Amino acid sequence: MNPKATVLDDAAIRRALTRISHEIIEKNKGIEDLVLVGIKTRGVPIAQRLKEKIQEIEGADLPDGELDITLYRDDLTPKENGAEPLLKETNITADIDGKKVILVDDVLYTGRTVRAAMDALIDHGRPKEIQLAVLVDRGHRELPIRADYVGKNVPTSQEEIITVTLSETDEADEVKIYEK
């Protein structure tokens, strides 16, 4: 696959996350009772970057966590070789009961990942509110889900693919669009 375009480079990602951090603080009138939870895999480093930026702005620690949604996905199918799905660890040490939880992911597409994440999150407690922050919203929703905080809206066709690479999991920070 050849890239069609670079949608965000490292500087644009940094600016988008800075803006989202300010929007989170403004919408919630501070950071009291907030918990950031990254959806594995790339939502986790994005949540960590948001946490660091918010702490820099507010001067206070913000609880966070990591959420594995593997067993909550509606597209989980039995493997031909009988292997179990590869599970990643969920790590939410903060009490989320009665808190405002901000789910963080890299790309919002059909909404099915976010639905699975909400199901997984509810198994850990009963938040007062769930908000959603994404780096890229590419449209084509299959479920009535929308992000509260968006780094960049990228209208796409269903024949296009958005890839997010981050230095924590990949070699560089960038968002590219490819033709299938």
Side-chain angles (χ1 to χ4, degrees):
M1 285 189 311
N2 289 328
K4 185 174 175 181
T6 298
V7 178
L8 297 170
D9 61 12
D10 60 340
I13 290 172
R14 199 170 36 259
R15 285 190 301 273
L17 295 179
T18 298
R19 181 175 39 76
I20 290 171
S21 299
H22 283 283
E23 289 174 357
I24 288 170
I25 295 165
E26 184 177 336
K27 179 176 180 169
N28 293 288
K29 297 175 177 57
I31 61 171
E32 186 176 338
D33 291 330
L34 285 186
V35 179
L36 286 175
V37 176
I39 301 171
K40 296 222 175 172
T41 297
R42 285 177 184 79
V44 173
I46 293 171
Q48 188 60 42
R49 291 182 191 191
L50 289 172
K51 174 183 175 169
E52 290 167 4
K53 183 56 73 175
I54 290 169
Q55 285 179 188
E56 182 181 306
I57 296 165
E58 289 292 297
D61 193 29
L62 185 62
D64 65 338
E66 303 176 1
L67 190 62
D68 177 24
I69 63 162
T70 303
L71 295 178
Y72 295 87
R73 297 185 60 92
D74 62 4
D75 61 353
L76 191 63
T77 56
K79 305 295 180 208
E80 288 179 22
N81 62 4
E84 293 295 318
L86 179 61
L87 299 177
K88 303 169 191 111
E89 183 180 355
T90 290
N91 181 15
I92 302 176
T93 57
D95 179 16
I96 64 169
D97 288 334
K99 303 286 173 66
K100 293 179 186 176
V101 175
I102 301 174
L103 285 174
V104 181
D105 205 7
D106 57 349
V107 178
L108 177 57
Y109 182 31
T110 62
R112 293 184 179 278
T113 296
V114 175
R115 188 225 30 98
M118 289 190 293
D119 287 347
L121 190 65
I122 296 301
D123 280 352
H124 290 277
R126 189 172 192 280
K128 175 181 180 182
E129 181 178 343
I130 299 174
Q131 299 173 15
L132 177 62
V134 296
L135 183 58
V136 175
D137 183 345
R138 64 169 290 188
H140 303 287
R141 224 65 86 237
E142 294 174 3
L143 299 173
I145 291 174
R146 105 184 139 70
D148 299 280
Y149 314 100
V150 177
K152 184 160 181 79
N153 285 293
V154 181
T156 62
S157 75
Q158 293 193 341
E159 285 72 48
E160 294 173 320
I161 297 171
I162 297 279
T163 62
V164 175
T165 58
L166 300 171
S167 58
E168 294 90 341
T169 56
D170 311 290
E171 295 178 11
D173 287 349
E174 60 187 7
V175 177
K176 289 188 176 186
I177 189 166
Y178 294 84
E179 284 289 336
K180 278 187 185 176

